[in-house]
Amino acid sequence: MTAAARARTPLVAANWKMHLVAAEATAFCRALLAAERPTRVEAAIFPSYTLLPAVAAALAGSEIGVGGQDLHPDDSGAHTGDVSGAQLRDAGCGWVIVGHSERRRDHGEDDVTVAKKLAAAARHGLRAILCLGETREERRGGATFAVLERQLAAALATAPGSAADWVVAYEPVWAIGTGDTATPAQAQEAHAFLRERVAALAPGALAGELRLLYGGSVKPDNAEELARQPDVDGFLVGGASLDAAKFLAIIHGCAAGR
Ligand code: PGA
């Protein structure tokens, strides 16, 4: 492992999507705080907006991060149903997810919108997890790298310059919620490509220090092997992050693999 890889603190993030209510969220946080966690892995929770105050309060004083699952590109305005970066900060967030494939699919978000959201996150001092990844058809058609390059290049056009400000999550759409996890070799191949392209497209972005997460059916029994890959710096976990014991097991698996 290179010195830059060693310097990258792994991050395991829980994307709760549209699940849980406040009592369940608080119980999850209590279980997480009560458990023994490896100090060399960072953790962050991304609940629905309505749960943010409860989760931020439950995790206050801990080193576990809290973030929104999306934000609007504008700082305020007539955007019914949307949430701004300032509002996320006000609710206790230090993080935000940008460009998740479910947002791209359900809300028609294109690369330009995603780039604007990344810029909004930076304006509000939110660290962003930029999600990208190919569909099954794109992989079958041999377009994986072209899709990743297109999504990355659009984001980098406005992305903040420091590797401390953002994280990239490679989430192959065919692996999300399907149980069809990418193999460690597939994840490593995509991550190595992304790191190489970040270095080429944005030399100031400190590609060697940028954290690259894998997301898509990560579970307690595949986390360690995935984390052994030199360019896998942690995980964005959906389904398995709803259960505190499973999420903890993934954090431990990540630590064991590094
Ligand atoms: P999954 O979701 O772990 O349920 O596959 C990952 C994600 O969408 O972030």
Side-chain angles (χ1 to χ4, degrees):
M1 194 176 280
T2 64
R6 266 194 302 276
R8 297 192 296 264
T9 303
L11 169 66
V12 180
N15 175 11
W16 284 354
K17 308 191 180 185
M18 199 172 67
H19 294 289
L20 307 186
V21 294
E24 294 165 330
T26 307
F28 179 108
C29 294
R30 279 206 206 100
L32 198 56
L33 291 173
E36 208 181 304
R37 277 174 296 113
T39 51
R40 61 184 193 282
V41 176
E42 198 178 343
I45 314 287
F46 294 79
S48 298
Y49 301 132
T50 56
L51 304 177
L52 284 171
V55 170
L59 297 178
S62 81
E63 68 293 2
I64 300 172
V66 182
Q69 295 176 9
D70 181 47
L71 84 173
H72 194 278
D74 293 348
D75 295 340
S76 64
H79 301 294
T80 303
D82 279 314
V83 168
S84 72
Q87 290 170 323
L88 290 181
R89 284 300 298 245
D90 188 50
C93 294
W95 286 93
V96 65
I97 294 172
V98 174
H100 191 282
S101 60
E102 288 153 13
R103 300 284 321 169
R104 296 180 192 251
R105 181 196 68 201
D106 297 348
H107 299 272
E109 288 189 13
D110 59 12
D111 292 334
V112 173
T113 305
V114 170
K116 286 184 187 160
K117 290 185 173 197
L118 260 187
R123 276 199 308 281
H124 291 284
L126 292 163
R127 291 195 282 170
I129 298 182
L130 165 69
C131 298
L132 35 76
E134 80 288 0
T135 63
R136 197 180 294 279
E137 293 66 38
E138 287 164 342
R139 176 163 281 265
R140 283 199 184 124
T144 297
F145 290 153
V147 170
L148 298 184
E149 168 103 27
R150 191 201 74 224
Q151 293 175 331
L152 185 68
L156 281 172
T158 55
S162 158
D165 298 329
W166 61 300
V167 169
V168 172
Y170 169 59
E171 296 209 309
V173 179
W174 48 269
I176 295 177
T178 59
D180 199 2
T181 320
T183 64
Q186 284 172 324
Q188 171 56 27
E189 182 187 41
H191 286 218
F193 173 79
L194 286 167
R195 198 179 300 288
E196 187 262 304
R197 294 318 295 155
V198 171
L201 292 165
L206 304 174
E209 292 172 26
L210 182 70
R211 289 184 287 182
L212 292 171
L213 311 186
Y214 168 77
S217 298
V218 176
K219 301 183 205 82
D221 64 4
N222 57 28
E224 180 175 342
E225 206 193 340
L226 284 160
R228 280 196 198 290
Q229 305 308 305
D231 287 296
V232 174
D233 304 313
F235 304 114
L236 181 55
V237 189
S241 77
L242 295 170
D243 178 312
K246 285 188 188 161
F247 186 59
L248 271 161
I250 290 170
I251 293 173
H252 281 286
C254 183
R258 298 281 297 192

